[in-house]
Amino acid sequence: MRKKIITIDGPAGAGKTTVSKLLSKKLGCVYVDTGALYRGVAFEIQRQDIDWENDTALEDFLGNLNLDFVTKKNSFILMSSGRNITNSIRTPEISMLASSSSAKPQVRAALLDIQRNIAKTKDAVFEGRDMGTVVFPDAAVKFFLFADLNIRAKRRFDEMPDGTKDINRVQKEIETRDHSDSQRKSAPLKPAKDAIEINASFLTIEQVVDKMLRIIEKA
Ligand code: DC
């Protein structure tokens, strides 16, 4: 039977992950953070010191890549060749490398099946950049979540451990990622034509999720 897929796209720091987690809990389905896959690629590029801008090196690397999501209770852990890398992919360096390497069409193609295979077996909320436009063009409901740059930077800043804090740097990194994610040729960040856009700048997580639930109920 066809599974019910909800997509949430949007720029870094708009609250997609927190919203997706709560929304999936209320809907009783799983949530899939597709950014983790791109971070997994970046993690392995960094670990194996791959010259990813060289197409031959990139294709060899992707041919040997073995990334997978494994279900754990209601969420997923990210495995790379049998190793749990879930907690190693959240550094600012990996964020930047995930953004730049995800512009490569070969990288995007390599991750497509993993995402679509999950959707074959489970109702899910998928969050990312191209969920509604490319990966799941037939999703039941598509959202595009955004917020003002300074608000997104402040949220990311507040989540960071003390000592690594510099709000100007956080804001600059988000701006750079917004630019590369939305200007790339392959699956750029943009709302799908039929996406419902939500400005989360002045809404709480609960307000965003309530809004989404009302829309999903009517769909
Ligand atoms: O959602 P995130 O911040 O963890 O994503 C990290 C990077 O991965 C993001 O800057 C761009 C890329 N990404 C993508 O290109 N497509 C997706 N569906 C998800 C993430």
Side-chain angles (χ1 to χ4, degrees):
M1 198 182 76
R2 223 174 117 49
K3 296 293 159 186
K4 185 162 182 173
I5 302 302
I6 310 289
T7 60
I8 306 182
D9 289 306
K16 297 189 301 294
T17 302
T18 324
V19 163
S20 304
K21 275 186 187 163
L22 185 59
L23 182 67
S24 64
K25 202 170 161 195
K26 299 228 174 188
L27 292 171
C29 67
V30 296
Y31 104 95
V32 185
D33 166 12
T34 63
L37 290 172
Y38 290 91
R39 287 172 180 272
V41 169
F43 174 84
E44 286 297 344
I45 286 177
Q46 194 184 57
R47 192 180 70 82
Q48 298 175 40
D49 196 18
I50 304 297
D51 178 10
W52 61 271
E53 284 171 295
N54 172 317
D55 283 345
T56 314
L58 179 63
E59 275 149 33
D60 280 354
F61 161 74
L62 291 171
N64 291 314
L65 186 71
N66 183 11
L67 280 183
D68 200 10
F69 274 128
V70 177
T71 320
K72 194 179 172 196
K73 290 189 187 153
N74 226 13
S75 59
F76 290 93
I77 52 174
L78 183 65
M79 306 292 290
S80 179
S81 301
R83 171 173 169 205
N84 181 350
I85 60 166
T86 316
N87 297 324
S88 313
I89 58 173
R90 300 282 159 201
T91 66
E93 293 73 29
I94 297 288
S95 303
M96 299 309 282
L97 186 54
S99 179
S100 43
S101 57
S102 67
K104 285 280 189 185
Q106 302 94 311
V107 170
R108 309 203 70 80
L111 300 181
L112 208 53
D113 282 351
I114 304 178
Q115 300 170 71
R116 290 191 176 149
N117 283 341
I118 296 172
K120 283 185 191 154
T121 56
K122 293 180 171 73
D123 289 347
V125 175
F126 277 84
E127 61 133 316
R129 302 292 188 289
D130 61 339
M131 297 297 99
T133 49
V134 175
V135 183
F136 301 111
D138 300 329
V141 184
K142 302 176 185 179
F143 294 105
F144 190 85
L145 192 65
F146 64 100
D148 297 346
L149 175 63
N150 59 332
I151 291 174
R152 292 188 283 130
K154 174 78 170 62
R155 284 187 193 151
R156 275 288 147 92
F157 174 76
D158 289 342
E159 286 163 9
M160 294 184 138
D162 288 343
T164 55
K165 287 186 162 188
D166 175 352
I167 193 156
N168 293 324
R169 187 170 157 203
V170 175
Q171 180 154 333
K172 191 83 213 114
E173 283 177 355
I174 289 187
E175 220 174 350
T176 308
R177 278 215 284 154
D178 281 356
H179 185 264
S180 77
D181 294 347
S182 55
Q183 299 306 310
R184 68 182 177 219
K185 286 201 183 75
S186 187
L189 166 68
K190 63 174 180 194
K193 284 199 179 69
D194 50 350
I196 294 142
E197 298 191 34
I198 299 180
N199 181 349
S201 301
F202 304 106
L203 297 177
T204 63
I205 298 299
E206 287 73 18
Q207 286 171 326
V208 173
V209 171
D210 284 348
K211 214 176 182 25
M212 289 178 165
L213 283 171
R214 282 200 297 275
I215 294 166
I216 294 168
E217 271 162 26
K218 282 192 211 135

